Amino acid sequence: AMAGILRDSGLARSCFQAARIRRRWPRVAQNLGLVLVDRTATTAASGKAPVPKPKYVVPRMRVRADSYGVVCTARTVEGVGLEEFQKTSRHLSDDWKAVRVAVTQVKPGKIRIRAVRIDPLSFPSTYDPDPATLPVLKNLDSLQVGMDEYAENVNLRLSNVAGICICGLPGSGKTSFINNMLVRLAPHPAVQFIGLDGKTDDPTTQGDYADVADRFTLLVGDDLEQANKVLAELVEFRRARNASIRTLLGRKNFWHGQATPDWPLVIVIIDEAHTYFAQVKDGGDKALKAKNALAAQNVQHVEDLIKKGRSVGILTILATQKGTGDAIPTQIRDVCSVSLAFACRTIDAAVAALGDDIRQYPESSPVALQDPVYVGVATMAVQGRPGFTRVRMPFVPDDTAAAVATHHRGLVLSRGQLPAASLLAIAQED
């Protein structure tokens, strides 16, 4: 065991930190007022007998070390609970030599204190699974996407999500995050992918999704007319699902049961989404007018998919460099259930991506993620947590992503295997 500790210098340092915390805890707890002062003996004293000193009851605490720091579990005592521990978190951070301390309540009577000795966000991580042994997710309700600033796993909710909006500067990690999602979901036979990549005209051989094209049912590029045709077919597909879901699934909401290969979760990925929505000054030019008309139709189609596709198992993911209304129209952006923001240059861009509440959490603002060390780190609201959480998303090597997509390409559905499969017919024709 000692050899294992010595091989992991981070864990070794954390073990020394844990030992110091255990040794000093009774004294630190008393100095910070995290103790119960039992004065019952003093009240009982009478006459000339000496008054007994009050008894201090220190909360019992267990300390566990890991590579990033320690996890402490403390039992509450009368008058010392979650609020009292939270008020002293900054002092605990100083005494424990920790860069950050978080205090949460596990259950009534038990407090959890996470103290990190080093910042997990500043260390790039890699997700490099073996395609042959990559596990199939037990359910699609949520997906593990990364690690927060306390080195805790973070899940992204998928269940009953209308849309996901991903914003951030070029090279900040947006496409890498989508590839990470794709690789984790690729082994599931009840997941199909439709892609629109606004960065290239031939996404099957160029661009960010060429390596994983084998796992896509349909993948198109920046051609506005072709994209418009696909989005229109997706809307028809959505209508067909709405009309048949009660008959074929026996329920009105896809998420109230398990996804199956016969009725899979369809994930529509629209990267560089502003490519398909942008309006330009036409100056009377007929060709530009026609493009603007297609872009306006695209906005209507995507709005339809996000507002009405959730209950029938269609999840739309939008990625763009900024979440302002000129990039993603507000009628689309504002109905996305989940938003993530990688590095942003201005607070206005952060507010557009995450909402005005981000102003109240400057320590979590994506504006502070512009340093190259934070490439791959995003700010998001995590279900069940207050405020915003910064999350380190792992990088998936291109070779690994390609191998996973190729290994699982047999799961891509062919024509006629979905209700109203006109979309897949287009894929076959192309």
Side-chain angles (χ1 to χ4, degrees):
M2 182 57 70
I5 292 175
L6 293 176
R7 280 195 298 267
D8 187 338
S9 60
L11 180 57
R13 293 192 193 96
S14 296
C15 285
F16 287 119
Q17 180 188 29
R20 183 176 181 276
I21 290 171
R22 292 189 195 98
R23 185 177 67 253
R24 290 174 49 83
W25 173 238
R27 178 183 175 186
V28 171
Q30 188 168 335
N31 288 339
L32 295 180
L34 296 175
V35 295
L36 166 65
V37 182
D38 187 355
R39 302 182 184 275
T40 54
T42 304
T43 306
S46 60
K48 296 182 180 180
V51 177
K53 293 181 179 180
K55 180 182 178 183
Y56 295 97
V57 181
V58 179
R60 289 180 297 167
M61 188 165 70
R62 298 180 62 183
V63 185
R64 176 176 59 83
D66 61 27
S67 297
Y68 293 97
V70 296
V71 178
C72 306
T73 306
R75 293 283 182 181
T76 61
V77 295
E78 291 181 46
V80 182
L82 176 64
E83 186 176 347
E84 287 69 31
F85 273 94
Q86 287 177 332
K87 287 179 179 178
T88 62
S89 61
R90 201 167 281 183
H91 299 293
L92 290 174
S93 177
D94 292 337
D95 186 81
W96 293 358
K97 314 293 185 188
V99 297
R100 198 176 296 117
V101 166
V103 181
T104 55
Q105 185 146 21
V106 180
K107 62 181 181 180
K110 183 179 287 188
I111 302 297
R112 183 177 182 275
I113 310 163
R114 174 54 163 160
V116 288
R117 183 178 42 78
I118 55 177
D119 187 359
L121 298 180
S122 62
F123 292 89
S125 61
T126 302
Y127 182 57
D128 191 10
D130 181 350
T133 59
L134 191 60
V136 178
L137 296 177
K138 293 182 179 178
N139 65 66
L140 298 172
D141 290 345
S142 65
L143 183 70
Q144 183 181 324
V145 292
M147 182 173 62
D148 69 9
E149 51 206 312
Y150 298 99
E152 302 289 337
N153 289 332
V154 174
N155 288 340
L156 176 72
R157 180 169 62 95
L158 301 181
S159 175
N160 277 303
V161 169
I164 298 175
C165 185
I166 306 168
C167 305
L169 294 172
S172 59
K174 300 185 300 296
T175 303
S176 180
F177 167 73
I178 293 175
N179 271 334
N180 180 21
M181 286 185 63
L182 195 146
V183 166
R184 292 178 187 272
L185 291 167
H188 204 296
V191 177
Q192 299 296 315
F193 298 96
I194 309 293
L196 292 84
D197 184 3
K199 294 179 183 177
T200 178
D201 57 354
D202 185 7
T204 58
T205 60
Q206 307 167 11
D208 295 318
Y209 300 100
D211 292 331
V212 292
D214 282 348
R215 188 59 179 87
F216 276 82
T217 298
L218 178 61
L219 186 59
V220 299
D222 58 5
D223 183 276
L224 207 59
E225 190 171 347
Q226 187 181 26
N228 180 262
K229 185 178 181 182
V230 170
L231 291 172
E233 288 293 332
L234 276 167
V235 170
E236 290 302 316
F237 177 68
R238 192 275 306 162
R239 288 173 179 161
R241 278 199 158 189
N242 272 112
S244 60
I245 186 169
R246 289 178 182 269
T247 302
L248 296 180
L249 293 189
R251 58 184 188 269
K252 62 180 182 180
N253 191 325
F254 167 87
W255 295 104
H256 291 169
Q258 293 293 323
T260 66
D262 293 329
W263 193 296
L265 171 64
V266 176
I267 298 179
V268 182
I269 299 169
I270 308 177
D271 203 346
E272 298 298 330
H274 52 273
T275 302
Y276 307 105
F277 305 145
Q279 293 285 330
V280 296
K281 293 182 179 180
D282 55 58
D285 185 275
K286 289 185 178 181
L288 290 179
K289 279 187 177 181
K291 286 188 174 182
N292 284 341
L294 288 174
Q297 280 188 343
N298 290 342
V299 171
Q300 293 176 352
H301 293 330
V302 173
E303 183 182 2
D304 178 284
L305 290 174
I306 293 178
K307 286 185 174 179
K308 302 176 182 178
R310 171 189 57 81
S311 63
V312 295
I314 300 175
L315 172 61
T316 304
I317 300 175
L318 302 168
T320 186
Q321 294 179 18
K322 58 179 182 176
T324 49
D326 58 332
I328 297 184
T330 55
Q331 67 264 40
I332 293 176
R333 185 191 69 199
D334 293 346
V335 293
C336 287
S337 309
V338 176
S339 295
L340 295 86
F342 288 83
C344 296
R345 188 158 286 132
T346 65
I347 186 62
D348 289 338
V351 169
L354 300 170
D356 201 60
D357 283 353
I358 190 60
R359 296 184 190 273
Q360 301 176 30
Y361 300 91
E363 70 283 357
S364 300
S365 174
V367 177
L369 300 177
Q370 296 183 61
D371 192 298
V373 75
Y374 292 120
V375 170
V377 177
T379 297
M380 60 184 290
V382 177
Q383 187 178 17
R385 299 190 189 186
F388 294 88
T389 301
R390 294 187 297 169
V391 184
R392 160 65 68 183
M393 313 294 183
F395 171 73
V396 180
D398 292 341
D399 291 345
T400 300
V404 169
T406 301
H407 186 80
H408 297 285
R409 62 185 172 185
L411 298 177
V412 176
L413 290 179
S414 59
R415 181 178 183 177
Q417 289 183 286
L418 287 176
S422 56
L423 175 67
L424 299 184
I426 289 180
Q428 294 280 331
E429 291 168 5
D430 290 345

